[in-house]
Amino acid sequence: MKTVNLQKNRGEAGFTLVELAIVMIIIGLLIGGILKGQELVANARVTATIAQIKGLDGAISTFRDKYSALPGDMLAPNTRLRDCAAAPCSVAGNGNGRINTPAFTAAPTNTSEGTVAFVHMAAADLISGVNISSNVNPPVFDGALPSAKIGGGYWLSYTTGGNIAG
């Protein structure tokens, strides 16, 4: 008589609960690390943008102290700033002690004091990332207007009543 052994082969049992739990923990740690890394990158971009804004504030103050005029509002910039013979750098302001800008709902122009202010600061070597000979109208970021680290860029404008909705 022949005997048949009906025992299960342990090698074909599949994953144990402990093995699955370890894999899930590893996947969770990887996802957590990726999300934390993305958060760190976003925070670094925000911090860099804040530093840019503080740098622009310092550049405006330095320009005012050095040239006794606000950038963009300066009379005869072509005689006072180096390499400032062509527009928009040579565009003079009205000298009224304010950087006159278009309203927030209007697009900036390459001859407005708010745009020319960035070009004048670049010509005075106070900021970088601005092309002093960019005469594109309307001005573009990385042209006559500086770009922001977080995306987009900067231009000077105003609004009445504190409402910036278009």
Side-chain angles (χ1 to χ4, degrees):
M1 172 161 161
K2 190 174 180 185
T3 313
V4 176
N5 191 355
L6 297 175
Q7 290 182 348
K8 265 185 159 181
N9 187 351
R10 283 289 203 188
E12 298 176 16
F15 294 111
T16 66
L17 219 47
V18 172
E19 291 169 333
L20 289 174
I22 290 171
V23 169
M24 295 300 286
I25 289 171
I26 291 171
I27 290 172
L29 291 172
L30 288 172
I31 290 173
I34 290 170
L35 293 176
K36 187 63 176 178
Q38 288 175 339
E39 180 184 340
L40 289 172
V41 168
N43 287 342
R45 292 172 77 193
V46 169
T47 302
T49 300
I50 291 169
Q52 272 184 312
I53 292 170
K54 288 180 180 179
L56 288 172
D57 182 43
I60 290 171
S61 296
T62 302
F63 190 96
R64 185 180 57 225
D65 292 343
K66 185 173 180 179
Y67 296 102
S68 298
L70 286 169
D73 189 50
M74 174 188 274
L75 297 171
N78 55 337
T79 61
R80 300 182 70 190
L81 299 171
R82 75 172 178 81
D83 299 330
C84 199
C89 189
S90 63
V91 174
N94 59 10
N96 67 351
R98 289 191 314 234
I99 301 174
N100 297 327
T101 61
F104 182 76
T105 54
T109 65
N110 62 349
T111 57
S112 71
E113 289 184 2
T115 300
V116 176
F118 295 110
V119 176
H120 287 176
M121 288 187 289
D125 288 328
L126 297 174
I127 63 172
S128 60
V130 173
N131 182 349
I132 65 171
S133 60
S134 176
N135 206 11
V136 177
N137 199 19
V140 295
F141 302 128
D142 285 331
L145 298 172
S147 61
K149 296 287 187 188
I150 202 163
Y154 306 104
W155 82 78
L156 301 176
S157 190
Y158 76 92
T159 182
T160 58
N163 183 8
I164 61 170

